[in-house]
Amino acid sequence: MLELILGDLAGNVRVWLGALLVAAATGAVGAVVGSGFQTAIAVGGDQALALYGLAGTILLLTVITALIVTGTVANLTVALQQRGYALWQLAGVAPGRVRAVVTTQLALVAVLGAAAGCVAASPALGPLWRLALSDVDVRFDAREAVPVIAVVVLVVTLGGARSAGRASRTPPIRSLREPELPDRSMSAGRWVTGLATLAITAAIVVSLPGRDPDRLTAPLTFVGPLTAGVLAAFGPLYLAPLLRGWTGVVPVTLSGAWFLARNSTAHHIARSTAAISPITVAIALAGGLYAADATVSGGDSPGAGSVALLLGGPLLLSLLGAAATVFMGSGRREREFALLLAAGGTPATVLAAAAAEAVIYVLTAALLGLVAVAVTALAGAAAVDTAPSFGLAAVAAVTGASLVLTLAATVLPTALALRRDVPRTLARDA
């Protein structure tokens, strides 16, 4: 079993590298939270109260973000290896053992990534906390790193539990073919998660009217990412039609590359969801914070230091998660690119189609993120009886950063794939 675990990890480095990167980012954000709690225990007094409040807020935002991002990454990790799991079963590996192997792999990658994230984040903890509390003496050591790593492992394995179960149920017939058919089904877990998140979001919104305006911003900040979580949970119900609908605005005769990208993103919905959901969360986080603060405070913007401390980690996790998922899937698309070239397409067309896919991912996420931001702004405006502010500058900034990262993660691997010999690629994957 150990050989199977390690051999599969080594043989699919590109796929597992995305999960490792997300685990490392989650561990780095966890180190920020852990250092806040450890420092609060050590210093006491008013500083401790401020640290507990800030660390608790970062923790809640990170948990919401991490569950969505790690879930999509784990789902894509398994989807990209379904043929391998089918071959395992043909070789005599029992379904229960397949599930155990996948779960162990997720846990191992989570441990390595979280530990690396804690180590990488340690030098930045002091400067980061001093953005909000200038005179704080930040503390973080191995005693606090251990629970951070444990929580990251729990979150990653929890996010991948459904995927591990699906891996064990992969039919051996998959070894004969490797399609990625659109998955429009809503599982019981998705229904429960989506409805529970919707109920929590509605409870927060209902509780806002009548509160002291000075205490509205904190709960209102959670409305955006929670709404993004609802949208992610119910994605199978609407995402494919949404992609086909708005991308159909561009006529087929105007751009062949756009036509290819439009059909690819709508058909490969599992891959598209994995790229879109993290960006949606990132936009909801940043836009929601600015919308909440500006709506309640009448136009004032939160300080840069507070924004960096509260949103820096969750935003990093979301954007890296989106880029990682795009990069993970690019290795399995070499045959697709080779087929396009064999059918008469040019390298320029293939590159343009890859860039168009990145644009579709980001703009779709921006549409969904704006829904989450609008819910935040309208809920805040109704609570204080004022005009809503939608944080459009923050939305535009995060959308632009997401587009740059997604283009890099999409176009660069495509350019490298185009350098391969077409007949050899088709013969190898046939």
Side-chain angles (χ1 to χ4, degrees):
M1 184 169 173
L2 183 60
E3 281 187 31
L4 189 59
I5 292 171
L6 298 180
D8 181 68
L9 287 174
N12 295 282
V13 172
R14 183 195 290 265
V15 175
W16 286 104
L17 188 60
L20 181 68
L21 182 61
V22 169
T26 308
V29 183
V32 176
V33 176
S35 65
F37 285 129
Q38 185 175 1
T39 306
I41 294 171
V43 301
D46 292 338
Q47 265 196 342
L49 294 176
L51 285 165
Y52 280 130
L54 288 169
T57 302
I58 299 170
L59 175 62
L60 289 174
L61 291 173
T62 302
V63 167
I64 296 170
T65 305
L67 286 175
I68 296 172
V69 173
T70 57
T72 55
V73 169
N75 286 333
L76 184 62
T77 300
V78 173
L80 292 173
Q81 301 182 89
Q82 285 183 345
R83 189 182 184 204
Y85 301 139
L87 289 171
W88 290 1
Q89 293 186 55
L90 285 176
V93 180
R97 180 160 290 191
V98 173
R99 180 169 191 158
V101 167
V102 175
T103 302
T104 304
Q105 288 175 324
L106 287 170
L108 180 60
V109 168
V111 169
L112 295 175
C118 286
V119 172
S122 295
L125 296 177
L128 186 59
W129 276 106
R130 291 188 191 100
L131 291 173
L133 302 170
S134 57
D135 58 344
V136 68
D137 182 17
V138 177
R139 306 183 186 190
F140 184 72
D141 54 34
R143 291 175 299 174
E144 193 61 35
V146 170
V148 168
I149 294 172
V151 170
V152 173
V153 172
L154 178 63
V155 170
V156 172
T157 52
L158 180 63
R162 179 170 172 263
S163 300
R166 192 170 70 245
S168 67
R169 297 189 297 272
T170 300
I173 192 67
R174 279 288 173 88
S175 64
L176 303 178
R177 52 184 171 77
E178 193 176 13
E180 188 186 1
L181 299 177
D183 181 11
R184 298 185 179 89
S185 62
M186 282 289 294
S187 65
R190 276 189 175 273
W191 279 110
V192 171
T193 302
L195 292 174
T197 307
L198 180 61
I200 294 171
T201 308
I204 294 175
V205 172
V206 170
S207 71
L208 296 177
R211 286 197 184 194
D212 183 349
D214 293 335
R215 298 186 178 182
L216 271 179
T217 302
L220 192 56
T221 300
F222 293 108
V223 172
L226 284 171
T227 303
V230 174
L231 293 172
F234 292 114
L237 295 178
Y238 68 86
L239 192 54
L242 174 64
L243 281 169
R244 289 196 180 93
W246 83 260
T247 55
V249 173
V250 179
V252 174
T253 55
L254 186 63
S255 173
W258 184 266
F259 174 77
L260 292 171
R262 174 176 182 257
N263 283 276
S264 177
T265 53
H267 179 72
H268 298 293
I269 197 64
R271 188 172 67 205
S272 300
T273 300
I276 291 168
S277 293
I279 301 173
T280 301
V281 174
I283 293 171
L285 281 167
L289 175 63
Y290 277 89
D293 198 83
T295 298
V296 172
S297 64
D300 294 335
S301 297
S306 299
V307 172
L309 183 60
L310 290 174
L311 296 187
L315 278 176
L316 175 67
L317 175 58
S318 298
L319 296 179
L320 285 181
T325 55
V326 173
F327 175 77
M328 288 163 60
S330 62
R332 302 300 175 94
R333 304 190 62 190
E334 292 177 0
R335 178 178 171 82
E336 182 181 330
F337 301 147
L339 285 171
L340 286 174
L341 293 175
T346 65
T349 300
V350 175
L351 284 172
E357 283 190 26
V359 172
I360 290 172
Y361 292 149
V362 174
L363 291 185
T364 303
L367 290 173
L368 298 176
L370 280 171
V371 171
V373 174
V375 171
T376 301
L378 294 174
V384 297
D385 193 21
T386 187
S389 178
F390 295 99
L392 295 181
V395 170
V398 176
T399 301
S402 301
L403 182 58
V404 171
L405 285 173
T406 308
L407 280 170
T410 304
V411 175
L412 292 180
T414 303
L416 292 175
L418 290 175
R419 300 174 64 180
R420 298 182 181 273
D421 183 67
V422 172
R424 185 174 300 174
T425 299
L426 294 177
R428 183 191 65 196
D429 293 331

